[in-house]
Coordinates of all heavy atoms in Angstrom, one line a residue:
L30 N 4.3 -2.5 13.5 CA 2.9 -2.3 13.1 C 2.0 -2.7 14.3 O 2.4 -3.5 15.2 CB 2.6 -3.2 11.9 CG 3.4 -2.8 10.6 CD1 3.1 -3.9 9.6 CD2 3.0 -1.5 10.1
Y31 N 0.7 -2.3 14.2 CA -0.3 -2.7 15.2 C -0.7 -4.2 14.9 O -1.1 -4.5 13.8 CB -1.5 -1.8 15.1 CG -2.5 -2.1 16.2 CD1 -2.3 -1.6 17.5 CD2 -3.6 -2.9 15.9 CE1 -3.2 -2.0 18.5 CE2 -4.6 -3.2 16.9 CZ -4.4 -2.7 18.1 OH -5.3 -3.0 19.1
C32 N -0.7 -5.0 15.9 CA -1.1 -6.4 15.8 C -2.4 -6.5 16.5 O -2.6 -6.1 17.7 CB -0.1 -7.3 16.5 SG -0.6 -9.1 16.5
D33 N -3.5 -7.0 15.8 CA -4.8 -7.2 16.4 C -4.8 -8.2 17.5 O -5.5 -8.1 18.5 CB -5.8 -7.6 15.3 CG -6.2 -6.4 14.4 OD1 -6.1 -5.2 14.9 OD2 -6.5 -6.7 13.3
S34 N -4.0 -9.3 17.3 CA -4.0 -10.3 18.4 C -3.3 -9.9 19.6 O -3.8 -10.2 20.7 CB -3.3 -11.6 17.8 OG -4.0 -12.1 16.7
C35 N -2.2 -9.2 19.5 CA -1.4 -8.7 20.7 C -2.1 -7.4 21.2 O -1.8 -7.0 22.4 CB 0.0 -8.5 20.3 SG 0.9 -9.9 19.8
Q36 N -2.9 -6.7 20.4 CA -3.5 -5.5 20.8 C -2.5 -4.4 21.2 O -2.7 -3.7 22.2 CB -4.5 -5.7 22.0 CG -5.7 -6.6 21.6 CD -6.7 -6.8 22.6 OE1 -6.5 -6.3 23.8 NE2 -7.8 -7.4 22.3
G37 N -1.5 -4.3 20.3 CA -0.5 -3.3 20.5 C 0.5 -3.2 19.4 O 0.4 -4.1 18.5
V38 N 1.4 -2.3 19.4 CA 2.4 -2.2 18.3 C 3.5 -3.3 18.6 O 4.0 -3.3 19.7 CB 3.0 -0.8 18.3 CG1 4.2 -0.7 17.3 CG2 1.9 0.2 18.0
Q39 N 3.7 -4.1 17.6 CA 4.7 -5.2 17.7 C 5.6 -5.2 16.5 O 5.4 -4.5 15.5 CB 4.0 -6.5 17.8 CG 3.0 -6.7 18.9 CD 3.7 -6.6 20.3 OE1 4.9 -7.0 20.4 NE2 3.0 -6.2 21.3
Q40 N 6.7 -5.9 16.6 CA 7.7 -6.1 15.6 C 7.1 -7.1 14.6 O 6.8 -8.2 15.0 CB 9.0 -6.5 16.2 CG 10.2 -6.4 15.2 CD 10.7 -5.0 15.1 OE1 10.4 -4.1 15.9 NE2 11.5 -4.8 14.1
F41 N 7.1 -6.8 13.3 CA 6.7 -7.7 12.3 C 7.9 -7.9 11.3 O 8.7 -7.0 11.1 CB 5.6 -7.1 11.4 CG 4.2 -7.3 12.0 CD1 3.8 -6.5 13.1 CD2 3.3 -8.2 11.6 CE1 2.6 -6.6 13.7 CE2 2.1 -8.4 12.1 CZ 1.7 -7.6 13.2
E42 N 8.0 -9.1 10.8 CA 9.1 -9.4 9.9 C 8.6 -10.1 8.7 O 7.5 -10.7 8.7 CB 10.2 -10.2 10.6 CG 9.7 -11.6 10.9 CD 10.8 -12.4 11.7 OE1 11.8 -11.8 12.1 OE2 10.7 -13.6 11.7
T43 N 9.3 -10.0 7.6 CA 8.9 -10.7 6.4 C 9.5 -12.1 6.4 O 10.7 -12.3 6.6 CB 9.6 -9.9 5.2 OG1 9.2 -8.6 5.2 CG2 9.1 -10.5 3.8
P44 N 8.7 -13.1 6.3 CA 9.2 -14.5 6.3 C 9.9 -14.8 4.9 O 9.7 -14.0 4.0 CB 7.9 -15.3 6.4 CG 6.8 -14.5 5.8 CD 7.2 -13.1 6.1
P45 N 10.6 -15.9 4.8 CA 11.2 -16.2 3.6 C 10.1 -16.4 2.5 O 9.1 -17.1 2.7 CB 11.9 -17.6 3.8 CG 12.1 -17.6 5.3 CD 11.0 -16.8 5.9
C46 N 10.2 -15.7 1.4 CA 9.2 -15.6 0.4 C 9.4 -16.7 -0.7 O 10.4 -16.5 -1.4 CB 9.0 -14.2 -0.2 SG 7.7 -14.0 -1.4
V47 N 8.5 -17.6 -0.9 CA 8.7 -18.6 -1.9 C 8.1 -18.1 -3.3 O 8.3 -18.8 -4.3 CB 8.0 -20.0 -1.5 CG1 8.6 -20.5 -0.3 CG2 6.5 -19.7 -1.3
D48 N 7.4 -16.9 -3.3 CA 6.8 -16.4 -4.5 C 7.8 -15.5 -5.3 O 7.4 -15.0 -6.3 CB 5.6 -15.6 -4.2 CG 4.5 -16.5 -3.6 OD1 4.4 -17.7 -4.0 OD2 3.7 -16.0 -2.8
G49 N 9.0 -15.3 -4.8 CA 10.0 -14.5 -5.5 C 9.9 -13.0 -5.2 O 10.5 -12.3 -6.0
H50 N 9.2 -12.6 -4.2 CA 9.0 -11.1 -4.0 C 10.3 -10.5 -3.3 O 10.5 -9.3 -3.4 CB 7.9 -10.8 -3.1 CG 6.6 -11.1 -3.7 ND1 5.7 -12.1 -3.1 CD2 5.9 -10.7 -4.8 CE1 4.6 -12.2 -3.9 NE2 4.7 -11.3 -4.9
G51 N 11.1 -11.3 -2.6 CA 12.3 -10.8 -1.9 C 11.8 -10.0 -0.7 O 10.9 -10.3 0.0
V52 N 12.5 -8.8 -0.6 CA 12.2 -7.9 0.5 C 10.9 -7.2 0.3 O 10.3 -6.6 1.3 CB 13.3 -6.9 0.8 CG1 14.6 -7.6 1.3 CG2 13.6 -6.1 -0.4
D53 N 10.3 -7.2 -0.9 CA 9.1 -6.6 -1.2 C 7.9 -7.5 -1.0 O 6.8 -7.2 -1.4 CB 9.1 -6.0 -2.6 CG 10.1 -4.9 -2.8 OD1 10.3 -4.2 -1.8 OD2 10.6 -4.8 -3.9
C54 N 8.0 -8.6 -0.3 CA 7.0 -9.5 -0.1 C 5.9 -8.9 0.8 O 6.1 -8.2 1.7 CB 7.5 -10.7 0.7 SG 6.2 -12.0 0.9
P55 N 4.6 -9.0 0.3 CA 3.5 -8.3 1.0 C 3.0 -9.0 2.3 O 2.2 -8.5 3.0 CB 2.4 -8.3 -0.1 CG 2.7 -9.5 -0.9 CD 4.2 -9.7 -0.9
E56 N 3.6 -10.2 2.6 CA 3.3 -10.9 3.8 C 4.2 -10.5 5.0 O 5.4 -10.5 4.8 CB 3.3 -12.4 3.5 CG 2.8 -13.2 4.7 CD 2.7 -14.7 4.3 OE1 2.7 -15.1 3.1 OE2 2.7 -15.5 5.2
L57 N 3.6 -10.2 6.1 CA 4.4 -10.0 7.3 C 3.9 -10.8 8.4 O 2.7 -11.2 8.5 CB 4.3 -8.5 7.7 CG 4.7 -7.5 6.6 CD1 4.4 -6.0 7.0 CD2 6.2 -7.6 6.5
V58 N 4.8 -11.2 9.4 CA 4.4 -12.0 10.5 C 4.8 -11.3 11.8 O 6.0 -10.8 11.9 CB 5.1 -13.4 10.4 CG1 4.8 -14.2 11.6 CG2 4.7 -14.1 9.1
C59 N 3.9 -11.3 12.8 CA 4.2 -10.7 14.1 C 5.3 -11.7 14.8 O 5.1 -12.9 14.8 CB 2.9 -10.7 14.9 SG 3.2 -10.0 16.6
T60 N 6.3 -11.1 15.3 CA 7.4 -11.8 15.9 C 7.0 -12.3 17.3 O 7.5 -13.2 17.9 CB 8.6 -11.0 16.0 OG1 8.4 -9.8 16.8 CG2 9.2 -10.7 14.7
R61 N 5.9 -11.7 17.9 CA 5.4 -12.1 19.2 C 4.4 -13.3 19.2 O 4.6 -14.3 19.8 CB 4.8 -10.9 19.9 CG 4.4 -11.3 21.3 CD 3.9 -10.0 22.1 NE 3.5 -10.4 23.4 CZ 2.6 -9.8 24.1 NH1 1.9 -8.8 23.5 NH2 2.3 -10.1 25.3
C62 N 3.4 -13.2 18.3 CA 2.3 -14.2 18.4 C 2.3 -15.0 17.0 O 1.6 -16.0 17.0 CB 1.0 -13.6 18.6 SG 0.3 -12.5 17.2
G63 N 2.9 -14.6 16.0 CA 2.9 -15.3 14.7 C 1.8 -14.9 13.8 O 1.6 -15.6 12.8
N64 N 1.0 -13.9 14.2 CA -0.2 -13.5 13.4 C 0.3 -13.0 12.0 O 1.3 -12.2 12.0 CB -1.0 -12.4 14.1 CG -2.3 -12.1 13.5 OD1 -2.9 -13.0 12.8 ND2 -2.8 -11.0 13.7
A65 N -0.3 -13.4 10.9 CA 0.2 -13.0 9.6 C -0.6 -11.8 9.2 O -1.8 -11.6 9.4 CB 0.0 -14.1 8.6
L66 N 0.0 -10.9 8.4 CA -0.6 -9.7 7.8 C -0.3 -9.7 6.4 O 0.9 -10.0 6.0 CB 0.0 -8.5 8.5 CG -0.8 -7.5 9.4 CD1 0.1 -6.6 10.1 CD2 -1.8 -6.7 8.6
L67 N -1.2 -9.3 5.6 CA -1.0 -9.1 4.1 C -1.1 -7.7 3.8 O -2.1 -7.1 4.0 CB -1.9 -9.9 3.3 CG -1.8 -9.9 1.8 CD1 -0.4 -10.6 1.4 CD2 -2.9 -10.7 1.1
I68 N 0.0 -7.1 3.3 CA 0.0 -5.6 2.9 C -0.4 -5.6 1.4 O 0.4 -6.0 0.5 CB 1.3 -5.0 3.1 CG1 1.8 -5.2 4.5 CG2 1.3 -3.5 2.7 CD1 1.0 -4.5 5.6
A69 N -1.6 -5.1 1.1 CA -2.1 -5.0 -0.3 C -1.7 -3.6 -0.8 O -2.1 -2.6 -0.2 CB -3.6 -5.3 -0.4
T70 N -1.1 -3.6 -2.0 CA -0.9 -2.3 -2.7 C -1.6 -2.3 -4.0 O -1.7 -3.2 -4.7 CB 0.6 -2.1 -2.9 OG1 1.1 -3.2 -3.7 CG2 1.4 -2.0 -1.6
F71 N -2.1 -1.1 -4.3 CA -2.9 -0.9 -5.5 C -2.3 0.3 -6.3 O -1.9 1.3 -5.7 CB -4.4 -0.6 -5.2 CG -5.0 -1.7 -4.5 CD1 -5.2 -1.7 -3.1 CD2 -5.5 -2.8 -5.2 CE1 -5.8 -2.7 -2.4 CE2 -6.2 -3.8 -4.5 CZ -6.3 -3.8 -3.1
A72 N -2.2 0.1 -7.6 CA -1.8 1.2 -8.5 C -2.9 1.8 -9.2 O -3.7 1.0 -9.9 CB -0.7 0.7 -9.4
F73 N -3.2 3.0 -9.0 CA -4.3 3.7 -9.7 C -3.7 4.7 -10.8 O -2.8 5.4 -10.5 CB -5.2 4.5 -8.8 CG -5.9 3.6 -7.8 CD1 -5.5 3.5 -6.5 CD2 -7.1 3.0 -8.2 CE1 -6.2 2.6 -5.6 CE2 -7.8 2.1 -7.3 CZ -7.3 2.0 -6.0
H74 N -4.3 4.6 -11.9 CA -3.9 5.5 -13.0 C -4.7 6.8 -12.9 O -5.9 6.8 -12.6 CB -4.1 4.9 -14.4 CG -3.2 3.7 -14.6 ND1 -1.9 3.8 -14.8 CD2 -3.5 2.4 -14.6 CE1 -1.3 2.6 -14.9 NE2 -2.3 1.7 -14.8
A75 N -4.1 7.9 -13.1 CA -4.8 9.2 -13.0 C -5.8 9.3 -14.1 O -5.5 8.9 -15.3 CB -3.9 10.4 -13.1
P76 N -7.1 9.7 -13.9 CA -8.1 9.8 -14.9 C -7.7 10.9 -15.9 O -7.2 11.9 -15.5 CB -9.4 10.1 -14.2 CG -8.9 10.7 -12.9 CD -7.6 10.1 -12.6
R77 N -8.0 10.6 -17.2 CA -7.7 11.6 -18.2 C -9.0 12.4 -18.5 O -10.0 11.9 -18.5 CB -7.3 11.0 -19.5 CG -5.9 10.3 -19.3 CD -5.4 9.9 -20.7 NE -4.0 9.9 -20.6 CZ -3.2 10.0 -21.6 NH1 -3.7 10.1 -22.8 NH2 -1.9 10.0 -21.5
L78 N -8.8 13.7 -18.6 CA -9.9 14.6 -18.9 C -10.1 14.6 -20.4 O -9.2 14.5 -21.2 CB -9.7 16.0 -18.3 CG -9.4 16.1 -16.8 CD1 -9.1 17.5 -16.4 CD2 -10.7 15.7 -16.1
A79 N -11.3 15.0 -20.8 CA -11.6 15.1 -22.2 C -10.9 16.4 -22.7 O -10.5 17.3 -21.9 CB -13.1 15.3 -22.4
R80 N -10.6 16.5 -24.0 CA -9.8 17.7 -24.5 C -10.4 19.0 -24.1 O -9.8 19.9 -23.8 CB -9.7 17.6 -26.0 CG -8.6 16.6 -26.4 CD -8.2 17.0 -27.8 NE -7.1 16.1 -28.2 CZ -5.8 16.5 -28.1 NH1 -5.5 17.6 -27.5 NH2 -4.8 15.7 -28.5
S81 N -11.8 19.1 -24.2 CA -12.4 20.4 -23.9 C -12.3 20.8 -22.4 O -12.2 21.9 -22.1 CB -13.9 20.3 -24.3 OG -14.5 19.4 -23.6
E82 N -12.2 19.8 -21.6 CA -12.0 20.0 -20.1 C -10.6 20.4 -19.8 O -10.3 21.1 -18.8 CB -12.5 18.8 -19.3 CG -14.0 18.6 -19.4 CD -14.3 17.3 -18.7 OE1 -13.4 16.4 -18.5 OE2 -15.5 17.1 -18.3
Q83 N -9.6 20.0 -20.5 CA -8.2 20.3 -20.3 C -7.9 21.8 -20.5 O -7.1 22.3 -19.8 CB -7.3 19.5 -21.1 CG -7.3 18.0 -20.7 CD -6.4 17.1 -21.7 OE1 -5.9 17.6 -22.7 NE2 -6.2 15.9 -21.3
R84 N -8.6 22.4 -21.4 CA -8.3 23.8 -21.7 C -8.9 24.7 -20.7 O -8.4 25.9 -20.6 CB -8.8 24.1 -23.1 CG -8.0 23.5 -24.3 CD -8.4 24.1 -25.5 NE -8.6 22.9 -26.4 CZ -9.5 22.7 -27.3 NH1 -10.5 23.6 -27.4 NH2 -9.6 21.6 -28.0
G85 N -9.9 24.3 -20.0 CA -10.5 25.2 -19.1 C -11.7 25.9 -19.7 O -12.0 25.7 -20.9
P86 N -12.4 26.8 -19.0 CA -13.5 27.5 -19.6 C -13.1 28.4 -20.8 O -12.1 29.0 -20.7 CB -14.1 28.3 -18.4 CG -13.0 28.4 -17.4 CD -12.1 27.3 -17.7

Side-chain angles (χ1 to χ4, degrees):
L30 298 168
Y31 182 82
C32 179
D33 287 332
S34 297
C35 298
Q36 297 182 352
V38 176
Q39 300 297 332
Q40 193 78 16
F41 279 77
E42 66 181 17
T43 306
C46 184
V47 295
D48 296 328
H50 295 119
V52 294
D53 296 327
C54 184
E56 187 175 338
L57 300 171
V58 177
C59 178
T60 57
R61 183 171 180 217
C62 70
N64 193 25
L66 247 164
L67 181 65
I68 306 296
T70 56
F71 298 96
F73 293 100
H74 297 286
R77 292 190 153 200
L78 300 175
R80 280 201 177 267
S81 61
E82 292 174 340
Q83 288 178 352
R84 286 189 228 140

